[in-house]
Amino acid sequence: KVQIVHSKQGKHSPGVEYTCRVVGLTQNIPVLGHYLNDKNKITLSYTDLQGNVRARSDLKIQTKTLESRRRPKESRVVKAQYDRMEPGMNLVNSPGQDETDTSIPYMIDADGEIRWILDWEKSDEHRYIGIGCGLIRMQNGHYMTGDGNHHRMVEVDMMGNTIHNWDMLERGY
């Protein structure tokens, strides 16, 4: 399945396109890169193993404003040089309320709109991951981060699900 979350009319940021490899009669399809508090236009293309499009659906999904006391403040683009920007989004490793708070990684597009956020506060497992460890994109599309409070390294997917968890004390660090 190829999924596209289309950009808003008149914006400079390209649509978010990605492939989701889900096979089965019933499926949950993650939709990443939507706008907050907006009616998002989304295209789903269903392909066969050779990449031929077999079906296509155009959807409109209304999203809500993120309800969190820790939500990053709205950003405002002061000066954008779109011709000098790489396509895609910018990852921000926000410290939350302060350096000792749980980090709130998020991505903004070229127009300064939040398009992805990982709110660790809602996760019992990752609530204490701090900004000092950062978030690094891996080649497989997942993220690697550290948890200094629990002496571990963690690999998570775009939805915040744990893929791998390494106890660094066990490994002598």
Side-chain angles (χ1 to χ4, degrees), residues 75-82 85 110-112:
S75 58
R76 183 174 61 89
V77 177
V78 175
K79 181 179 181 182
Q81 296 176 329
Y82 299 108
M85 290 182 185
D111 299 301

Side-chain angles (χ1 to χ4, degrees), residues 91-94 101-105 116 118 120 123 125-138 140-157 160-168:
L91 175 63
V92 179
N93 283 308
S94 170
D101 196 6
T102 302
S103 67
I104 308 169
W116 177 84
L118 192 52
W120 296 117
S123 167
E125 183 180 10
H126 302 306
R127 184 173 300 151
Y128 300 105
I129 289 178
I131 185 64
C133 295
L135 200 64
I136 299 170
R137 183 86 184 239
M138 301 170 66
N140 64 8
H142 296 157
Y143 290 95
M144 175 71 67
T145 188
D147 180 353
N149 294 311
H150 294 98
H151 311 288
R152 63 189 178 127
M153 294 293 296
V154 181
E155 178 182 349
V156 296
D157 64 13
N161 301 312
T162 302
I163 306 302
H164 295 291
N165 190 353
W166 297 273
D167 185 321
M168 301 312 284

Side-chain angles (χ1 to χ4, degrees), residues 99-121:
E99 295 103 26
T100 61
D101 196 6
T102 302
S103 67
I104 308 169
Y106 62 96
M107 290 185 198
I108 58 171
D109 64 16
D111 299 301
E113 294 206 47
I114 296 173
R115 302 286 296 277
W116 177 84
I117 187 167
L118 192 52
D119 191 352
W120 296 117
E121 184 178 49

Side-chain angles (χ1 to χ4, degrees), residues 53 61 66 83:
V53 175
I61 299 175
L66 182 64
D83 59 327

Side-chain angles (χ1 to χ4, degrees), residues 17-61:
E17 182 174 333
Y18 60 97
T19 302
C20 177
R21 301 190 195 297
V22 179
V23 179
L25 295 176
T26 59
Q27 312 166 21
N28 290 323
I29 301 169
V31 177
L32 302 169
H34 58 270
Y35 292 96
L36 297 175
N37 197 27
D38 193 68
K39 187 171 262 186
N40 292 264
K41 180 182 176 191
I42 298 162
T43 299
L44 301 176
S45 296
Y46 303 90
T47 59
D48 60 21
L49 294 174
Q50 290 74 38
N52 301 312
V53 175
R54 297 298 184 180
R56 177 185 159 130
S57 299
D58 289 317
L59 309 167
K60 292 208 175 182
I61 299 175

